[in-house]
Amino acid sequence: MFHLHLRILTSALVRFLLIVYFSSLGEGARVRGFWDPTSYQPVAVFAFHSNAQSAGYVYGNITTRENSSPVSATSKATLVLLDDDTWSDQFHSIEEDDYNGTPCSVMQTVFKNCQDSQCRVDGAMAQSIPCTIGQPSEETTCHNSLPAAQFALPVYNINVPRLWHLSLVPCYCNQSQTSNCTWVNSTNENGELNYDIWLVNGNPNSTKTDFLYYQLSYESQYVSIILITYIILYLFFLLVLSCGHRGHSHTIIRVFIASILLEWLGISLHFLHLAIYTFDGAGILPVKHFGVVVDVVSQCMFMALLLLLGRGWTVTKVHLEHKAFLVVIVMYSLVDVGLTVTRLITTDPVTTINDNLSWETLVVLGLRLFILLWFLYELHLSYLQEAQLTRQQFYVVMGSVYSLWFLYLPVAAVVVSQVVPPLWQYRTYTGITVTADFLSYAVLSYLLWPSRGVVSYRYSRIPMDDDLSLLDYDSI
């Protein structure tokens, strides 16, 4: 049974990867695309963190598109890199405004003096673009140009992790009238521009880089270690579970193992994206998103399993009453999956570090609390109907442990978003969720272990009108 489920899921995964491979989108370390310079455009958000011997770098190429309108010799736009404090103070509101020259006035405030094509002030850097095809940017005297890169912006003094915003601005510095820089609107002078930009933690010329964080923004570093740890633990867990339940093909066990397999698949897809991202700076974002959806389906299956046990199925009752509750579970699952897909589609991976408390997430957390109350109500009714002490204790343990499981996600989402620093939220939230889910599966596997005899795996061979109390649980 275990091997059959594994083959089916593996086959589905291979087909899915073939479909999404050619349509994959980058997430941050390497950003590629084109820009019609009529408005301010955010390009990437990246958290740099290195040490005294190294530096973060933003480098790449920005050129005019072959089929775009000609670009005059004097026309320019600007690539600007700002730390989070400067960006929040000056540029935060530009995204919501219609373009009316605001970016140029902000550039005038941030970069008051500009003597060459690269402007530098504390927490801000600007690079003139576009670059001539096949040639480095003019007057790049602040550093040695990197091979095959037209420009490079080194980010020094970043012992403390800092979040930086990379943007394209339709303005250029005009020094013809005054010795200081006057930022001029260039929206009517530029054609479409191609950009291919890398953001890395470390020096691209150095051979001594830690591949675990070189391509990754600080908040994503070492998350892959957490995921691979639980991928291995789940494989071992599934092996033990399949051996322990050999010969038992009850629906309860099939749903339980299927839920664990989906959880393992979701974590594996997340890890696959990060593993590829570690090497190419892009990854396969649809694979990560599909893993998130698979994880949601796994959570919904596990909730359905808990509700079935809470209603006493195979513990106190031989058959289910009021099976309409299964319709409610299916509707909840569809809503949960739908809201998750909506959040993934509407969240921009280029400019968003963490989105735990989007409105879609809040709705899902509210529904989860509703399922918790329903679960406790069903447990209470089953406990009152049960006369055997062992099975009463089973309900008590179920209520105690899985009340915490239902609550951990809302509590973790709120606490992490409000208490944990932004650059630690992703790895903290990931560590909490995968650990809590693994422990919840481990506890239920103990409660359902055949030698405990609390749940009957043999009742399906007995007429439905037989008394469940006649079953010899101790002999299982």
Side-chain angles (χ1 to χ4, degrees), residues 46 115 139-140 184 187 247 262 290 294 355 385 401-402 408:
F46 195 84
Q115 301 302 323
E139 300 181 14
T140 53
V184 180
T187 55
L262 289 175
F290 184 66
V294 169
D355 196 35
Q385 295 171 6
V401 173
Y402 293 101
Y408 93 87

Side-chain angles (χ1 to χ4, degrees), residues 301-313 315 325 328-329 367-383 394-407 440 443-444 447:
M301 288 184 65
F302 192 58
M303 287 184 190
L305 178 61
L306 293 178
L307 282 170
L308 288 172
L309 292 171
R311 289 177 68 89
W313 190 42
V315 182
F325 94 98
V328 178
I329 290 295
L367 292 175
R368 189 182 179 102
L369 293 177
F370 167 75
I371 298 294
L372 167 62
L373 296 177
W374 186 14
F375 171 68
L376 292 176
Y377 173 74
E378 296 290 352
L379 271 179
H380 176 69
L381 293 181
S382 298
Y383 180 86
F394 172 82
Y395 290 129
V396 171
V397 174
M398 281 275 294
S400 302
V401 173
Y402 293 101
S403 294
L404 297 177
W405 181 79
F406 276 102
L407 286 173
S440 68
V443 170
L444 190 59
L447 294 177

Side-chain angles (χ1 to χ4, degrees), residues 416-470:
V416 169
S417 64
Q418 300 299 319
V419 177
V420 179
L423 295 183
W424 280 88
Q425 289 181 7
Y426 176 38
R427 72 187 77 176
T428 301
Y429 189 77
T430 300
I432 290 174
T433 54
V434 295
T435 301
D437 290 339
F438 181 82
L439 291 177
S440 68
Y441 287 124
V443 170
L444 190 59
S445 68
Y446 169 75
L447 294 177
L448 298 181
W449 201 253
S451 61
R452 290 180 52 79
V454 176
V455 177
S456 170
Y457 303 113
R458 303 181 303 171
Y459 88 86
S460 57
R461 300 180 222 166
I462 299 176
M464 295 298 289
D465 57 352
D466 280 5
D467 186 356
L468 189 65
S469 64
L470 299 178

